[in-house]
Amino acid sequence: MSDVPSLRRLLSGALIALASVAASSPSQSQSQSQSQSQSQSQSQSQVRSLSIGLSSDVTSMDPQWNNSGPNVSLAAHVFEPLTMTDRNGRLIPGLATSWRAVDPLTWEFKLRSGVRFHDGSELTADDVVFSIERPKTLQGSPASFASFVRPITEAVAVAQ
């Protein structure tokens, strides 16, 4: 029953979130007034935000700096991996549309086209190689991701 503590934590968090929403909810007329003014200011400045509730503080937005629960949870909402898992634990495409074992020690990933970074630059195979190599180079990380990539002896970008 190792799921019981995590279920309790989840339910406690949900109850706290509901209580804080209920406690902070303005009356209906206040809510309508606030909603109208928020819509006006948002349409003027096009400001958008994302709020994510976590059980502990995030210590870094760098997805490879600290392998801690809150950091990994936040990174899952912001960054996309090559592959993901579905609810049954099967691998599904992420940034990679397909992958195959070339031989017992070599994997080839085909990247999804049209993926862009926040600055508009396109994702390339060189970016993936960089992301695989980088954790091994970070000095002073409190909980390194290097152990996940250390078994990879070489990552090579193949021109298409």
Side-chain angles (χ1 to χ4, degrees), residues 67-139:
N67 184 15
S68 68
N71 292 18
V72 171
S73 293
L74 178 65
H77 293 286
V78 179
F79 305 100
E80 190 171 357
L82 287 175
T83 61
M84 300 180 281
T85 53
D86 66 13
R87 65 182 184 188
N88 296 314
R90 291 185 299 247
L91 284 177
I92 58 173
L95 293 172
T97 57
S98 64
W99 51 93
R100 69 182 184 96
V102 175
D103 61 50
L105 298 176
T106 307
W107 283 86
E108 179 181 79
F109 293 85
K110 300 286 184 182
L111 299 180
R112 188 170 72 217
S113 62
V115 175
R116 298 204 173 272
F117 289 99
H118 70 283
D119 65 357
S121 61
E122 192 163 357
L123 174 73
T124 67
D126 289 325
D127 297 316
V128 175
V129 169
F130 174 83
S131 294
I132 291 170
E133 297 295 333
R134 185 172 178 261
K136 297 182 226 175
T137 66
L138 293 175
Q139 301 295 313

Side-chain angles (χ1 to χ4, degrees), residues 32-101:
Q32 288 173 345
S33 172
Q34 287 177 346
S35 177
Q36 288 171 349
S37 70
Q38 286 175 350
S39 293
Q40 290 170 349
S41 69
Q42 280 185 346
S43 64
Q44 290 171 355
S45 63
Q46 296 298 315
V47 174
R48 298 173 67 183
S49 65
L50 172 66
S51 298
I52 299 172
L54 297 169
S55 61
S56 300
D57 290 337
V58 172
T59 59
S60 176
M61 284 290 296
D62 182 334
Q64 296 179 331
W65 176 249
N66 186 356
N67 184 15
S68 68
N71 292 18
V72 171
S73 293
L74 178 65
H77 293 286
V78 179
F79 305 100
E80 190 171 357
L82 287 175
T83 61
M84 300 180 281
T85 53
D86 66 13
R87 65 182 184 188
N88 296 314
R90 291 185 299 247
L91 284 177
I92 58 173
L95 293 172
T97 57
S98 64
W99 51 93
R100 69 182 184 96

